[in-house]
Amino acid sequence: MSQPTKTKKPNRHKARESALEVLYAWHNSGQDGAMIPSMLADRLAERERADQDGEFVRELVHGVTTDVAEIDAAIAGAVNGRSLKSIAHVEHTVLRLAAWEMTHKLETPYRVIINEALELTRDYAGEAPRGFINGVLDHLARVLRPEEARAAQGR
């Protein structure tokens, strides 16, 4: 009798990378929604990302593009008077992804979301902006998930 094979859980980190790439291109195109389907299809077809969570990629991309005004308003309130236009596009995109996920994926601990955002920042923007991203997301966590943030501080 053969052993049942374990099914691997779809990779959400790779999904976040794909979503970041699609949303970055969308941002740089002047938020042209017409390019999203082909960009999504390209990222979902990449062989090295075959194990990514495709549904999560779609959810992230569509969620951010649908809620971009609310997300940017939340980010603007967390950047201490800095203009959103002064934030590099890749950093802005990482913040958008994390803010959307904090708002809509309550089953994912906010610390996981922040850690994922910091990894994306390191991989796509380098080490320098990580402190800024961490500070903004810590602020957003206190605003978007006050009970969870208070509980984490109480440890």
Side-chain angles (χ1 to χ4, degrees):
M1 183 172 259
S2 66
Q3 291 285 354
T5 57
K6 279 190 175 179
T7 55
K8 262 183 102 175
K9 192 173 179 184
N11 189 313
R12 286 200 158 189
H13 180 74
K14 288 180 182 177
R16 288 180 182 97
E17 287 179 329
S18 291
L20 175 68
E21 292 168 4
V22 171
L23 290 167
Y24 178 79
W26 171 75
H27 182 91
N28 286 334
S29 73
Q31 298 183 355
D32 177 12
M35 51 77 63
I36 289 176
S38 65
M39 287 285 301
L40 269 175
D42 289 347
R43 291 304 169 275
L44 292 170
E46 287 182 8
R47 195 175 326 202
E48 64 272 3
R49 293 190 185 158
D51 62 338
Q52 73 183 323
D53 186 337
E55 186 55 40
F56 190 53
V57 175
R58 289 181 196 87
E59 194 174 3
L60 287 168
V61 170
H62 292 300
V64 169
T65 57
T66 300
D67 298 341
V68 70
E70 295 87 2
I71 292 167
D72 281 353
I75 293 168
V79 294
N80 297 330
R82 195 170 158 188
S83 165
L84 292 183
K85 290 182 181 185
S86 72
I87 300 170
H89 289 185
V90 70
E91 295 164 32
H92 192 174
T93 304
V94 168
L95 290 170
R96 282 174 168 166
L97 275 170
W100 184 87
E101 197 171 350
M102 274 190 209
T103 304
H104 296 280
K105 291 297 188 181
L106 300 179
E107 69 276 10
T108 306
Y110 83 88
R111 293 252 189 233
V112 170
I113 296 168
I114 291 174
N115 286 338
E116 285 287 326
L118 293 174
E119 280 189 48
L120 290 172
T121 302
R122 183 192 63 229
D123 293 346
Y124 287 83
E127 285 292 326
R130 289 183 70 194
F132 169 71
I133 297 294
N134 191 43
V136 171
L137 293 178
D138 276 341
H139 179 91
L140 282 173
R142 289 191 303 273
V143 171
L144 299 173
R145 296 190 177 184
E147 292 176 18
E148 186 181 350
R150 269 194 303 279
Q153 296 299 323
R155 284 186 208 167

